[in-house]
Amino acid sequence: MRYQGRITAWKDDKGFGFVTPNGGGEQVFVHINSFSSRQRRPEGNELVTYELTVDGKGRSQAKAVAFVGERPTPPKAPGRSSLPPLFAVCFLVFVVGVVVTGRLPSTVLALYIITSIVAFSAYAFDKSAALRNQWPTQESTLHLFALLGGWPGALAAQRLLRHKSAKASFQTTFWATVILNCGALGWLLSPSGTRTLNSLLGTV
């Protein structure tokens, strides 16, 4: 059975809000992943139709949400291309290779592993906070972890947790940090970069 209501208290940075049913009644929680179409993001005050379900704690939650006038369709998972994960795997294999061959110190590989774990944890914490209506992790913090080398872990979190993968502005900045990080690694592999890195490690 489908119901109709109006989106209220939409928080786009957190990706969720509430639907007030037509005719009144208790507000229903709605998450961005529950929308049938990802080509249009809600801004608040739109009329929608939805199916009603409950979460693990027995709270009302909307699913298969569609804007009034649109035909509801099963939501497609965003960013399901295999190219980004394949790129991340190839990148890490490359880093392992240059470390094994002695072109870079093992510290660089350790940095990627540690920051990836931290980034994945930060995404998991941010999604949990969003679902609980708690204070989220700043997007700038998530991007900083990616820039420092944690982007493989961040990418894994986006895919496995389905978090921050549908927001176009976030994705644009995220991939910019990936490009900058890869550029920094390329510089470290250059003669001047290698000398600078060895000099820094030698002073530690």
Side-chain angles (χ1 to χ4, degrees):
M1 181 177 179
R2 294 193 66 80
Y3 300 85
Q4 187 177 101
R6 186 177 299 275
I7 297 178
T8 55
W10 179 256
K11 300 179 180 179
D12 195 60
D13 58 332
K14 298 180 181 180
F16 72 86
F18 295 89
V19 176
T20 299
N22 286 353
E26 183 181 359
Q27 288 186 326
V28 180
F29 178 84
V30 59
H31 193 271
I32 186 63
N33 291 337
S34 299
F35 281 81
S36 299
S37 174
R38 300 296 177 81
Q39 297 181 353
R40 175 185 173 187
R41 292 180 69 88
E43 297 178 358
N45 205 39
E46 296 96 339
L47 283 173
V48 295
T49 62
Y50 59 95
E51 295 178 10
L52 194 61
T53 185
V54 293
D55 60 16
K57 297 182 179 180
R59 297 173 297 188
S60 299
Q61 185 169 347
K63 69 174 184 177
V65 184
F67 296 102
V68 169
E70 293 183 355
R71 183 179 178 181
T73 56
K76 296 181 180 179
R80 291 290 103 185
S81 171
S82 61
L83 290 180
L86 181 61
F87 171 67
V89 171
C90 291
F91 177 85
L92 292 176
V93 170
F94 173 76
V95 174
V96 171
V98 295
V99 169
V100 170
T101 57
R103 296 185 61 188
L104 286 177
S106 58
T107 307
V108 174
L109 178 59
L111 177 65
Y112 276 104
I113 294 175
I114 293 173
T115 53
S116 288
I117 293 174
V118 171
F120 189 97
S121 301
Y123 273 74
F125 177 82
D126 186 53
K127 180 169 185 177
S128 176
L131 293 175
R132 298 178 182 179
N133 198 22
Q134 296 177 345
W135 193 259
T137 302
Q138 293 291 327
E139 290 188 353
S140 58
T141 301
L142 299 178
H143 290 316
L144 178 60
F145 290 147
L147 181 63
L148 294 177
W151 65 265
L155 183 60
Q158 292 175 20
R159 292 308 180 90
L160 297 176
L161 304 179
R162 295 186 179 182
H163 188 54
K164 298 293 187 182
S165 58
K167 189 175 181 180
S169 59
F170 183 91
Q171 284 294 305
T172 298
T173 305
F174 170 74
W175 284 106
T177 64
V178 173
I179 293 173
L180 289 173
N181 180 264
C182 291
L185 181 66
W187 177 77
L188 287 178
L189 290 170
S190 68
S192 60
T194 300
R195 287 194 299 269
T196 301
L197 181 60
N198 291 334
S199 176
L200 291 174
L201 293 176
T203 59
V204 176

mmCIF file of all heavy atoms in Angstrom, residues 50-95:
data_model
loop_
_atom_site.group_PDB
_atom_site.id
_atom_site.type_symbol
_atom_site.label_atom_id
_atom_site.label_comp_id
_atom_site.label_asym_id
_atom_site.label_seq_id
_atom_site.Cartn_x
_atom_site.Cartn_y
_atom_site.Cartn_z
ATOM 1 N N TYR A 50 4.906 6.919 -0.949
ATOM 2 C CA TYR A 50 5.865 6.003 -0.340
ATOM 3 C C TYR A 50 5.149 4.777 0.205
ATOM 4 O O TYR A 50 3.936 4.759 0.396
ATOM 5 C CB TYR A 50 6.623 6.707 0.793
ATOM 6 C CG TYR A 50 5.732 7.239 1.898
ATOM 7 C CD1 TYR A 50 5.483 6.487 3.047
ATOM 8 C CD2 TYR A 50 5.128 8.484 1.783
ATOM 9 C CE1 TYR A 50 4.652 6.971 4.057
ATOM 10 C CE2 TYR A 50 4.297 8.977 2.781
ATOM 11 C CZ TYR A 50 4.060 8.221 3.918
ATOM 12 O OH TYR A 50 3.242 8.695 4.910
ATOM 13 N N GLU A 51 5.962 3.754 0.425
ATOM 14 C CA GLU A 51 5.489 2.580 1.138
ATOM 15 C C GLU A 51 5.978 2.675 2.573
ATOM 16 O O GLU A 51 7.012 3.289 2.845
ATOM 17 C CB GLU A 51 6.008 1.310 0.473
ATOM 18 C CG GLU A 51 5.475 1.096 -0.937
ATOM 19 C CD GLU A 51 6.058 -0.143 -1.589
ATOM 20 O OE1 GLU A 51 6.723 -0.934 -0.876
ATOM 21 O OE2 GLU A 51 5.867 -0.322 -2.798
ATOM 22 N N LEU A 52 5.254 2.087 3.474
ATOM 23 C CA LEU A 52 5.566 2.212 4.893
ATOM 24 C C LEU A 52 6.172 0.912 5.426
ATOM 25 O O LEU A 52 5.680 -0.174 5.155
ATOM 26 C CB LEU A 52 4.309 2.570 5.681
ATOM 27 C CG LEU A 52 4.505 3.073 7.121
ATOM 28 C CD1 LEU A 52 5.337 4.347 7.123
ATOM 29 C CD2 LEU A 52 3.155 3.323 7.764
ATOM 30 N N THR A 53 7.270 1.077 6.160
ATOM 31 C CA THR A 53 7.899 -0.067 6.810
ATOM 32 C C THR A 53 8.385 0.383 8.179
ATOM 33 O O THR A 53 8.174 1.532 8.577
ATOM 34 C CB THR A 53 9.081 -0.597 5.964
ATOM 35 O OG1 THR A 53 9.600 -1.774 6.572
ATOM 36 C CG2 THR A 53 10.174 0.454 5.849
ATOM 37 N N VAL A 54 9.010 -0.499 8.913
ATOM 38 C CA VAL A 54 9.570 -0.154 10.225
ATOM 39 C C VAL A 54 11.020 -0.619 10.273
ATOM 40 O O VAL A 54 11.394 -1.602 9.623
ATOM 41 C CB VAL A 54 8.773 -0.805 11.381
ATOM 42 C CG1 VAL A 54 7.379 -0.215 11.464
ATOM 43 C CG2 VAL A 54 8.697 -2.318 11.212
ATOM 44 N N ASP A 55 11.840 0.102 11.041
ATOM 45 C CA ASP A 55 13.237 -0.284 11.176
ATOM 46 C C ASP A 55 13.387 -1.309 12.303
ATOM 47 O O ASP A 55 12.395 -1.805 12.858
ATOM 48 C CB ASP A 55 14.121 0.932 11.423
ATOM 49 C CG ASP A 55 13.744 1.692 12.692
ATOM 50 O OD1 ASP A 55 13.012 1.132 13.537
ATOM 51 O OD2 ASP A 55 14.184 2.844 12.866
ATOM 52 N N GLY A 56 14.633 -1.623 12.630
ATOM 53 C CA GLY A 56 14.884 -2.638 13.650
ATOM 54 C C GLY A 56 14.388 -2.275 15.028
ATOM 55 O O GLY A 56 14.231 -3.157 15.888
ATOM 56 N N LYS A 57 14.133 -0.969 15.251
ATOM 57 C CA LYS A 57 13.649 -0.517 16.551
ATOM 58 C C LYS A 57 12.144 -0.248 16.550
ATOM 59 O O LYS A 57 11.616 0.320 17.495
ATOM 60 C CB LYS A 57 14.407 0.739 16.977
ATOM 61 C CG LYS A 57 15.901 0.505 17.177
ATOM 62 C CD LYS A 57 16.602 1.776 17.653
ATOM 63 C CE LYS A 57 18.097 1.531 17.865
ATOM 64 N NZ LYS A 57 18.794 2.760 18.322
ATOM 65 N N GLY A 58 11.476 -0.653 15.456
ATOM 66 C CA GLY A 58 10.028 -0.485 15.391
ATOM 67 C C GLY A 58 9.564 0.899 15.008
ATOM 68 O O GLY A 58 8.382 1.215 15.150
ATOM 69 N N ARG A 59 10.468 1.739 14.490
ATOM 70 C CA ARG A 59 10.100 3.095 14.101
ATOM 71 C C ARG A 59 9.646 3.131 12.648
ATOM 72 O O ARG A 59 10.187 2.422 11.807
ATOM 73 C CB ARG A 59 11.285 4.041 14.310
ATOM 74 C CG ARG A 59 11.713 4.161 15.763
ATOM 75 C CD ARG A 59 12.988 4.970 15.915
ATOM 76 N NE ARG A 59 14.110 4.321 15.235
ATOM 77 C CZ ARG A 59 15.372 4.731 15.344
ATOM 78 N NH1 ARG A 59 15.665 5.789 16.077
ATOM 79 N NH2 ARG A 59 16.333 4.100 14.712
ATOM 80 N N SER A 60 8.676 3.978 12.347
ATOM 81 C CA SER A 60 8.146 4.088 10.988
ATOM 82 C C SER A 60 9.210 4.636 10.050
ATOM 83 O O SER A 60 9.936 5.583 10.394
ATOM 84 C CB SER A 60 6.916 5.003 10.966
ATOM 85 O OG SER A 60 5.890 4.473 11.771
ATOM 86 N N GLN A 61 9.287 4.068 8.863
ATOM 87 C CA GLN A 61 10.266 4.490 7.878
ATOM 88 C C GLN A 61 9.682 4.337 6.480
ATOM 89 O O GLN A 61 8.986 3.364 6.182
ATOM 90 C CB GLN A 61 11.547 3.667 8.005
ATOM 91 C CG GLN A 61 12.673 4.125 7.090
ATOM 92 C CD GLN A 61 13.988 3.454 7.430
ATOM 93 O OE1 GLN A 61 14.128 2.836 8.485
ATOM 94 N NE2 GLN A 61 14.956 3.562 6.551
ATOM 95 N N ALA A 62 9.944 5.322 5.618
ATOM 96 C CA ALA A 62 9.427 5.283 4.248
ATOM 97 C C ALA A 62 10.402 4.550 3.336
ATOM 98 O O ALA A 62 11.615 4.644 3.498
ATOM 99 C CB ALA A 62 9.196 6.703 3.740
ATOM 100 N N LYS A 63 9.877 3.823 2.367
ATOM 101 C CA LYS A 63 10.705 3.157 1.363
ATOM 102 C C LYS A 63 10.021 3.294 0.008
ATOM 103 O O LYS A 63 8.846 3.636 -0.080
ATOM 104 C CB LYS A 63 10.920 1.690 1.709
ATOM 105 C CG LYS A 63 9.675 0.825 1.589
ATOM 106 C CD LYS A 63 10.013 -0.640 1.798
ATOM 107 C CE LYS A 63 8.797 -1.524 1.578
ATOM 108 N NZ LYS A 63 9.114 -2.971 1.707
ATOM 109 N N ALA A 64 10.786 3.019 -1.068
ATOM 110 C CA ALA A 64 10.269 3.160 -2.440
ATOM 111 C C ALA A 64 9.606 4.519 -2.608
ATOM 112 O O ALA A 64 8.494 4.640 -3.132
ATOM 113 C CB ALA A 64 9.307 2.030 -2.766
ATOM 114 N N VAL A 65 10.301 5.574 -2.167
ATOM 115 C CA VAL A 65 9.743 6.923 -2.192
ATOM 116 C C VAL A 65 9.837 7.504 -3.602
ATOM 117 O O VAL A 65 10.862 7.367 -4.274
ATOM 118 C CB VAL A 65 10.485 7.838 -1.199
ATOM 119 C CG1 VAL A 65 9.833 9.224 -1.153
ATOM 120 C CG2 VAL A 65 10.493 7.214 0.194
ATOM 121 N N ALA A 66 8.774 8.151 -4.057
ATOM 122 C CA ALA A 66 8.761 8.788 -5.376
ATOM 123 C C ALA A 66 8.061 10.134 -5.264
ATOM 124 O O ALA A 66 7.108 10.297 -4.488
ATOM 125 C CB ALA A 66 8.033 7.911 -6.394
ATOM 126 N N PHE A 67 8.567 11.111 -6.000
ATOM 127 C CA PHE A 67 7.914 12.414 -6.031
ATOM 128 C C PHE A 67 6.564 12.270 -6.739
ATOM 129 O O PHE A 67 6.425 11.478 -7.676
ATOM 130 C CB PHE A 67 8.786 13.432 -6.755
ATOM 131 C CG PHE A 67 10.087 13.710 -6.061
ATOM 132 C CD1 PHE A 67 11.266 13.135 -6.513
ATOM 133 C CD2 PHE A 67 10.135 14.544 -4.955
ATOM 134 C CE1 PHE A 67 12.459 13.384 -5.876
ATOM 135 C CE2 PHE A 67 11.332 14.800 -4.305
ATOM 136 C CZ PHE A 67 12.498 14.213 -4.763
ATOM 137 N N VAL A 68 5.591 13.023 -6.286
ATOM 138 C CA VAL A 68 4.263 12.961 -6.898
ATOM 139 C C VAL A 68 4.381 13.320 -8.381
ATOM 140 O O VAL A 68 4.994 14.317 -8.747
ATOM 141 C CB VAL A 68 3.293 13.923 -6.183
ATOM 142 C CG1 VAL A 68 1.993 14.064 -6.976
ATOM 143 C CG2 VAL A 68 2.990 13.419 -4.790
ATOM 144 N N GLY A 69 3.829 12.487 -9.213
ATOM 145 C CA GLY A 69 3.933 12.675 -10.657
ATOM 146 C C GLY A 69 4.961 11.780 -11.301
ATOM 147 O O GLY A 69 4.998 11.636 -12.522
ATOM 148 N N GLU A 70 5.817 11.169 -10.484
ATOM 149 C CA GLU A 70 6.814 10.235 -10.983
ATOM 150 C C GLU A 70 6.373 8.819 -10.679
ATOM 151 O O GLU A 70 5.787 8.545 -9.632
ATOM 152 C CB GLU A 70 8.177 10.499 -10.343
ATOM 153 C CG GLU A 70 8.800 11.813 -10.748
ATOM 154 C CD GLU A 70 10.180 11.987 -10.141
ATOM 155 O OE1 GLU A 70 10.586 11.124 -9.336
ATOM 156 O OE2 GLU A 70 10.841 12.980 -10.457
ATOM 157 N N ARG A 71 6.706 7.918 -11.583
ATOM 158 C CA ARG A 71 6.352 6.518 -11.386
ATOM 159 C C ARG A 71 7.394 5.859 -10.501
ATOM 160 O O ARG A 71 8.585 5.899 -10.811
ATOM 161 C CB ARG A 71 6.275 5.795 -12.720
ATOM 162 C CG ARG A 71 5.851 4.339 -12.611
ATOM 163 C CD ARG A 71 5.781 3.694 -13.984
ATOM 164 N NE ARG A 71 5.412 2.292 -13.887
ATOM 165 C CZ ARG A 71 5.307 1.486 -14.938
ATOM 166 N NH1 ARG A 71 5.543 1.960 -16.153
ATOM 167 N NH2 ARG A 71 4.964 0.222 -14.769
ATOM 168 N N PRO A 72 7.000 5.275 -9.380
ATOM 169 C CA PRO A 72 7.988 4.640 -8.499
ATOM 170 C C PRO A 72 8.623 3.428 -9.153
ATOM 171 O O PRO A 72 7.944 2.588 -9.742
ATOM 172 C CB PRO A 72 7.165 4.228 -7.272
ATOM 173 C CG PRO A 72 5.772 4.111 -7.785
ATOM 174 C CD PRO A 72 5.629 5.147 -8.865
ATOM 175 N N THR A 73 9.935 3.347 -9.074
ATOM 176 C CA THR A 73 10.689 2.204 -9.597
ATOM 177 C C THR A 73 11.662 1.745 -8.543
ATOM 178 O O THR A 73 12.062 2.518 -7.665
ATOM 179 C CB THR A 73 11.458 2.573 -10.874
ATOM 180 O OG1 THR A 73 12.321 3.695 -10.599
ATOM 181 C CG2 THR A 73 10.513 2.956 -12.000
ATOM 182 N N PRO A 74 12.063 0.500 -8.555
ATOM 183 C CA PRO A 74 13.038 0.021 -7.579
ATOM 184 C C PRO A 74 14.317 0.834 -7.668
ATOM 185 O O PRO A 74 14.824 1.056 -8.772
ATOM 186 C CB PRO A 74 13.280 -1.443 -8.002
ATOM 187 C CG PRO A 74 12.049 -1.822 -8.752
ATOM 188 C CD PRO A 74 11.612 -0.569 -9.459
ATOM 189 N N PRO A 75 14.837 1.347 -6.561
ATOM 190 C CA PRO A 75 16.045 2.164 -6.596
ATOM 191 C C PRO A 75 17.249 1.380 -7.071
ATOM 192 O O PRO A 75 17.417 0.224 -6.730
ATOM 193 C CB PRO A 75 16.217 2.612 -5.122
ATOM 194 C CG PRO A 75 15.504 1.570 -4.330
ATOM 195 C CD PRO A 75 14.350 1.123 -5.181
ATOM 196 N N LYS A 76 18.053 2.035 -7.888
ATOM 197 C CA LYS A 76 19.295 1.431 -8.353
ATOM 198 C C LYS A 76 20.449 1.912 -7.495
ATOM 199 O O LYS A 76 20.529 3.083 -7.141
ATOM 200 C CB LYS A 76 19.557 1.814 -9.819
ATOM 201 C CG LYS A 76 18.502 1.274 -10.780
ATOM 202 C CD LYS A 76 18.833 1.672 -12.209
ATOM 203 C CE LYS A 76 17.807 1.137 -13.180
ATOM 204 N NZ LYS A 76 18.111 1.545 -14.587
ATOM 205 N N ALA A 77 21.305 1.019 -7.150
ATOM 206 C CA ALA A 77 22.460 1.392 -6.337
ATOM 207 C C ALA A 77 23.362 2.312 -7.125
ATOM 208 O O ALA A 77 23.710 2.024 -8.266
ATOM 209 C CB ALA A 77 23.233 0.145 -5.921
ATOM 210 N N PRO A 78 23.751 3.479 -6.558
ATOM 211 C CA PRO A 78 24.574 4.426 -7.286
ATOM 212 C C PRO A 78 26.006 3.944 -7.398
ATOM 213 O O PRO A 78 26.543 3.278 -6.533
ATOM 214 C CB PRO A 78 24.491 5.692 -6.404
ATOM 215 C CG PRO A 78 24.303 5.151 -5.031
ATOM 216 C CD PRO A 78 23.442 3.922 -5.207
ATOM 217 N N GLY A 79 26.631 4.374 -8.487
ATOM 218 C CA GLY A 79 28.050 4.128 -8.624
ATOM 219 C C GLY A 79 28.441 2.675 -8.576
ATOM 220 O O GLY A 79 29.418 2.323 -7.931
ATOM 221 N N ARG A 80 27.709 1.818 -9.295
ATOM 222 C CA ARG A 80 28.003 0.400 -9.237
ATOM 223 C C ARG A 80 29.046 -0.032 -10.261
ATOM 224 O O ARG A 80 29.302 -1.216 -10.423
ATOM 225 C CB ARG A 80 26.726 -0.414 -9.467
ATOM 226 C CG ARG A 80 25.720 -0.308 -8.335
ATOM 227 C CD ARG A 80 26.195 -1.009 -7.089
ATOM 228 N NE ARG A 80 26.677 -0.090 -6.100
ATOM 229 C CZ ARG A 80 27.233 -0.459 -4.971
ATOM 230 N NH1 ARG A 80 27.410 -1.724 -4.692
ATOM 231 N NH2 ARG A 80 27.646 0.435 -4.109
ATOM 232 N N SER A 81 29.635 0.899 -10.981
ATOM 233 C CA SER A 81 30.674 0.551 -11.935
ATOM 234 C C SER A 81 31.830 -0.119 -11.215
ATOM 235 O O SER A 81 32.186 0.236 -10.083
ATOM 236 C CB SER A 81 31.167 1.812 -12.662
ATOM 237 O OG SER A 81 32.311 1.524 -13.428
ATOM 238 N N SER A 82 32.426 -1.103 -11.869
ATOM 239 C CA SER A 82 33.540 -1.824 -11.258
ATOM 240 C C SER A 82 34.866 -1.100 -11.439
ATOM 241 O O SER A 82 35.881 -1.517 -10.871
ATOM 242 C CB SER A 82 33.641 -3.231 -11.864
ATOM 243 O OG SER A 82 33.873 -3.149 -13.264
ATOM 244 N N LEU A 83 34.879 -0.027 -12.227
ATOM 245 C CA LEU A 83 36.138 0.661 -12.511
ATOM 246 C C LEU A 83 36.771 1.319 -11.279
ATOM 247 O O LEU A 83 37.981 1.163 -11.067
ATOM 248 C CB LEU A 83 35.924 1.701 -13.622
ATOM 249 C CG LEU A 83 35.661 1.130 -15.019
ATOM 250 C CD1 LEU A 83 35.456 2.269 -16.022
ATOM 251 C CD2 LEU A 83 36.817 0.236 -15.460
ATOM 252 N N PRO A 84 36.010 2.080 -10.446
ATOM 253 C CA PRO A 84 36.640 2.692 -9.270
ATOM 254 C C PRO A 84 37.277 1.674 -8.310
ATOM 255 O O PRO A 84 38.429 1.856 -7.898
ATOM 256 C CB PRO A 84 35.503 3.469 -8.613
ATOM 257 C CG PRO A 84 34.589 3.799 -9.740
ATOM 258 C CD PRO A 84 34.637 2.591 -10.619
ATOM 259 N N PRO A 85 36.572 0.582 -7.927
ATOM 260 C CA PRO A 85 37.225 -0.408 -7.058
ATOM 261 C C PRO A 85 38.437 -1.054 -7.710
ATOM 262 O O PRO A 85 39.451 -1.303 -7.053
ATOM 263 C CB PRO A 85 36.122 -1.442 -6.803
ATOM 264 C CG PRO A 85 34.851 -0.719 -7.042
ATOM 265 C CD PRO A 85 35.142 0.239 -8.147
ATOM 266 N N LEU A 86 38.359 -1.316 -9.020
ATOM 267 C CA LEU A 86 39.484 -1.910 -9.733
ATOM 268 C C LEU A 86 40.673 -0.969 -9.747
ATOM 269 O O LEU A 86 41.823 -1.389 -9.563
ATOM 270 C CB LEU A 86 39.071 -2.252 -11.171
ATOM 271 C CG LEU A 86 40.146 -2.910 -12.048
ATOM 272 C CD1 LEU A 86 40.583 -4.243 -11.444
ATOM 273 C CD2 LEU A 86 39.616 -3.110 -13.467
ATOM 274 N N PHE A 87 40.388 0.324 -9.913
ATOM 275 C CA PHE A 87 41.447 1.327 -9.893
ATOM 276 C C PHE A 87 42.122 1.365 -8.524
ATOM 277 O O PHE A 87 43.353 1.445 -8.429
ATOM 278 C CB PHE A 87 40.876 2.703 -10.235
ATOM 279 C CG PHE A 87 41.832 3.837 -10.029
ATOM 280 C CD1 PHE A 87 42.963 3.967 -10.816
ATOM 281 C CD2 PHE A 87 41.608 4.771 -9.029
ATOM 282 C CE1 PHE A 87 43.860 5.011 -10.615
ATOM 283 C CE2 PHE A 87 42.488 5.822 -8.822
ATOM 284 C CZ PHE A 87 43.615 5.943 -9.624
ATOM 285 N N ALA A 88 41.329 1.308 -7.451
ATOM 286 C CA ALA A 88 41.883 1.339 -6.098
ATOM 287 C C ALA A 88 42.753 0.119 -5.832
ATOM 288 O O ALA A 88 43.844 0.233 -5.243
ATOM 289 C CB ALA A 88 40.758 1.418 -5.068
ATOM 290 N N VAL A 89 42.295 -1.060 -6.270
ATOM 291 C CA VAL A 89 43.073 -2.284 -6.077
ATOM 292 C C VAL A 89 44.388 -2.212 -6.849
ATOM 293 O O VAL A 89 45.460 -2.533 -6.305
ATOM 294 C CB VAL A 89 42.265 -3.523 -6.515
ATOM 295 C CG1 VAL A 89 43.157 -4.761 -6.526
ATOM 296 C CG2 VAL A 89 41.075 -3.738 -5.594
ATOM 297 N N CYS A 90 44.324 -1.777 -8.105
ATOM 298 C CA CYS A 90 45.542 -1.658 -8.924
ATOM 299 C C CYS A 90 46.503 -0.640 -8.316
ATOM 300 O O CYS A 90 47.730 -0.838 -8.340
ATOM 301 C CB CYS A 90 45.177 -1.266 -10.348
ATOM 302 S SG CYS A 90 44.310 -2.551 -11.280
ATOM 303 N N PHE A 91 45.941 0.432 -7.765
ATOM 304 C CA PHE A 91 46.779 1.460 -7.145
ATOM 305 C C PHE A 91 47.533 0.890 -5.951
ATOM 306 O O PHE A 91 48.746 1.105 -5.807
ATOM 307 C CB PHE A 91 45.915 2.638 -6.713
ATOM 308 C CG PHE A 91 46.682 3.724 -6.006
ATOM 309 C CD1 PHE A 91 47.339 4.704 -6.716
ATOM 310 C CD2 PHE A 91 46.745 3.751 -4.615
ATOM 311 C CE1 PHE A 91 48.064 5.697 -6.074
ATOM 312 C CE2 PHE A 91 47.458 4.741 -3.955
ATOM 313 C CZ PHE A 91 48.114 5.717 -4.682
ATOM 314 N N LEU A 92 46.836 0.158 -5.090
ATOM 315 C CA LEU A 92 47.487 -0.418 -3.913
ATOM 316 C C LEU A 92 48.525 -1.464 -4.305
ATOM 317 O O LEU A 92 49.585 -1.556 -3.674
ATOM 318 C CB LEU A 92 46.434 -1.026 -2.979
ATOM 319 C CG LEU A 92 45.505 -0.023 -2.286
ATOM 320 C CD1 LEU A 92 44.446 -0.742 -1.469
ATOM 321 C CD2 LEU A 92 46.305 0.932 -1.396
ATOM 322 N N VAL A 93 48.224 -2.239 -5.337
ATOM 323 C CA VAL A 93 49.204 -3.215 -5.835
ATOM 324 C C VAL A 93 50.442 -2.483 -6.341
ATOM 325 O O VAL A 93 51.581 -2.919 -6.112
ATOM 326 C CB VAL A 93 48.593 -4.084 -6.952
ATOM 327 C CG1 VAL A 93 49.677 -4.924 -7.636
ATOM 328 C CG2 VAL A 93 47.509 -4.991 -6.381
ATOM 329 N N PHE A 94 50.232 -1.363 -7.010
ATOM 330 C CA PHE A 94 51.349 -0.566 -7.500
ATOM 331 C C PHE A 94 52.202 -0.037 -6.349
ATOM 332 O O PHE A 94 53.444 -0.077 -6.403
ATOM 333 C CB PHE A 94 50.824 0.606 -8.334
ATOM 334 C CG PHE A 94 51.878 1.593 -8.749
ATOM 335 C CD1 PHE A 94 52.763 1.301 -9.777
ATOM 336 C CD2 PHE A 94 51.981 2.812 -8.101
ATOM 337 C CE1 PHE A 94 53.738 2.206 -10.148
ATOM 338 C CE2 PHE A 94 52.950 3.732 -8.466
ATOM 339 C CZ PHE A 94 53.835 3.432 -9.491
ATOM 340 N N VAL A 95 51.526 0.462 -5.295
ATOM 341 C CA VAL A 95 52.265 0.979 -4.135
ATOM 342 C C VAL A 95 53.078 -0.130 -3.486
ATOM 343 O O VAL A 95 54.243 0.069 -3.124
ATOM 344 C CB VAL A 95 51.294 1.606 -3.112
ATOM 345 C CG1 VAL A 95 52.034 2.002 -1.837
ATOM 346 C CG2 VAL A 95 50.604 2.828 -3.705
#
